[in-house]
């Protein structure tokens, strides 16, 4: 149990830190109504190191989230769903359980991270602890239901696709094993987000309620979907998808590579 938690947590922190500017870019593209929400604005107004703004909060969130997700995935495979012979079904169900549980346990950190990423020169909060102090509890959990509906299947699909892509690449191409795992993870993350992307955009919009006057007001999930469709059209539900591909391919690829490396090292 302890090793699975360490493997999951460390792989999440490594992958997010290495790709933090890409994560910032993705969040900016999802919320283009925010002022100064471009990489160029961040560089001009705040400086290069602020491409990693919110990364401390993100790592504080990601470590327990990926630790819990990976631990429950492994535990579920070997205990709860051990009687299931079909590997893909076992991976999917274990990923669903791990994704839902980890999201519930760490969601307020996700909300704080989103808000810190979209402020300019500490315009709203003076860091991680100040944000927690100022954001009401009910706002910290805004968008949780949509996040569970989105992240649980994203986690399930990522694990399921990863093992399928990894095995397919191993059988089809003569690649270095690390490259194979990196590509397999990247393809898995990209495939999973293609299916679940609108849930990620909606939960991000709900997280930002009452954050800034430029944020549209939504009264729950259905109202959010209705207003996005009315103001932005169906393409609005996929705003920032390309940026998500740019961010997720290396992030999930590095995460799965780190998981396997740490597993071999520690186990």
């Amino acid at each position: 149990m302890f090793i699975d938690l360490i493997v999951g947590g460390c792989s999440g922190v490594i992958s997010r830190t290495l790709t933090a500017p890409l994560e910032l870019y993705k969040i900016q593209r999802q919320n283009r109504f925010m002022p100064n929400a471009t990489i160029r604005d961040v560089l001009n107004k705040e400086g290069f190191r602020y491409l990693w703004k919110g990364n401390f909060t993100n790592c504080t969130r990601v470590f327990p989230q990926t630790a819990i997700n990976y631990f429950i995935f492994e535990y579920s495979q070997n205990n709860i769903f051990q009687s299931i012979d079909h590997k893909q079904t076992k991976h999917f169900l274990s990923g669903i359980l791990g994704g839902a549980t980890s999201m519930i346990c760490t969601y307020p950190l996700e909300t704080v991270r989103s808000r810190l990423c979209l402020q300019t020169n500490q315009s709203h909060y003076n860091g991680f602890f100040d944000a927690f102090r100022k954001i009401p509890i009910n706002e910290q959990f805004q968008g949780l239901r949509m996040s569970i509906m989105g992240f649980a299947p994203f986690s399930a699909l990522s694990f399921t696709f990863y093992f399928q892509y990894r095995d397919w690449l191993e059988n089809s191409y003569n690649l270095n094993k690390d490259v194979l795992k990196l590509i397999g993870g990247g393809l898995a993350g990209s495939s999973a987000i293609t299916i679940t992307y609108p849930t990620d955009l909606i939960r991000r919009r709900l997280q930002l309620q009452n954050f800034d006057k430029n944020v549209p007001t939504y009264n729950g999930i259905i109202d959010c979907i209705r207003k996005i469709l009315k103001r932005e059209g169906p393409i609005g539900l996929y705003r920032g998808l390309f940026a998500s591909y740019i961010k997720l391919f290396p992030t999930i690829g590095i995460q799965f590579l780190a998981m396997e490396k740490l597993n071999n090292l520690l186990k």
Side-chain angles (χ1 to χ4, degrees):
M1 172 183 175
F2 177 74
I3 291 177
D4 284 340
L5 289 170
I6 292 298
V7 167
C10 289
S11 64
V13 169
I14 292 168
S15 62
R16 267 56 175 196
T17 299
L18 291 176
T19 60
L22 298 177
E23 173 68 12
L24 175 64
Y25 174 66
K26 185 195 84 168
I27 294 176
Q28 289 175 336
R29 297 299 295 175
Q30 287 179 329
N31 303 280
R32 294 175 64 184
F33 45 79
M34 290 294 297
N36 304 313
T38 68
I39 293 294
R40 180 176 293 178
D41 286 327
V42 172
L43 290 172
N44 289 339
K45 298 177 183 295
E46 299 175 273
F48 179 78
R49 70 186 181 92
Y50 281 90
L51 294 178
W52 275 263
K53 63 180 177 178
N55 187 56
F56 172 77
T57 305
N58 198 25
C59 289
T60 304
R61 170 193 69 89
V62 159
F63 188 93
Q65 186 183 73
T66 52
I68 294 168
N69 193 2
Y70 183 68
F71 162 68
I72 292 180
F73 175 79
E74 288 290 302
Y75 180 84
S76 300
Q77 282 199 111
N78 298 323
N79 295 275
I80 300 174
F81 304 121
Q82 61 177 338
S83 60
I84 298 177
D85 293 328
H86 192 260
K87 285 196 304 182
Q88 284 77 18
T89 302
K90 187 186 291 189
H91 291 156
F92 187 84
L93 293 175
S94 300
I96 282 276
L97 192 57
T101 306
S102 62
M103 180 57 72
I104 292 170
C105 293
T106 61
Y107 191 73
L109 294 168
E110 174 72 25
T111 300
V112 171
R113 186 279 300 259
S114 294
R115 296 192 177 197
L116 289 176
C117 281
L118 288 172
Q119 70 173 1
T120 302
N121 290 323
Q122 299 180 334
S123 55
H124 293 77
Y125 312 111
N126 187 25
F128 175 77
F129 295 105
D130 184 53
F132 256 112
R133 182 174 60 84
K134 290 181 178 177
I135 301 172
I137 293 294
N138 65 310
E139 290 186 19
Q140 291 182 20
F141 285 91
Q142 283 179 333
L144 176 59
R145 282 184 298 170
M146 179 54 70
S147 292
I148 295 172
M149 292 166 58
F151 186 72
F154 174 81
S155 171
L157 291 168
S158 292
F159 279 114
T160 305
F161 285 140
Y162 172 67
F163 292 109
Q164 288 183 302
Y165 282 134
R166 187 193 65 180
D167 293 344
W168 171 69
L169 289 167
E170 190 171 12
N171 294 328
S172 303
Y173 300 96
N174 184 24
L175 296 172
N176 176 277
K177 287 188 176 182
D178 290 344
V179 173
L180 184 147
K181 293 167 185 175
L182 193 66
I183 295 174
L187 290 173
S190 299
S191 299
I193 199 64
T194 300
I195 297 170
T196 63
Y197 184 75
T199 65
D200 184 66
L201 180 134
I202 292 166
R203 64 90 178 251
R204 195 80 65 189
R205 296 283 180 93
L206 293 175
Q207 285 174 344
L208 296 176
Q209 296 299 284
N210 303 317
F211 167 60
D212 189 272
K213 63 181 181 180
N214 295 288
V215 178
T217 301
Y218 305 116
N219 185 25
I221 295 172
I222 301 301
D223 184 57
C224 182
I225 295 172
R226 182 176 60 81
K227 287 181 177 176
I228 290 174
L229 290 173
K230 182 179 179 180
R231 296 169 182 172
E232 306 175 54
I235 197 172
L237 292 173
Y238 292 88
R239 187 174 299 284
L241 177 59
F242 180 71
S244 289
Y245 287 144
I246 294 174
K247 176 258 178 181
L248 269 175
F249 192 95
T251 300
I252 304 301
I254 292 169
Q255 179 175 305
F256 275 111
L257 174 61
M259 277 182 180
E260 298 229 27
K261 286 285 190 181
L262 289 169
N263 257 320
N264 293 335
L265 179 66
L266 298 176
K267 290 184 178 180

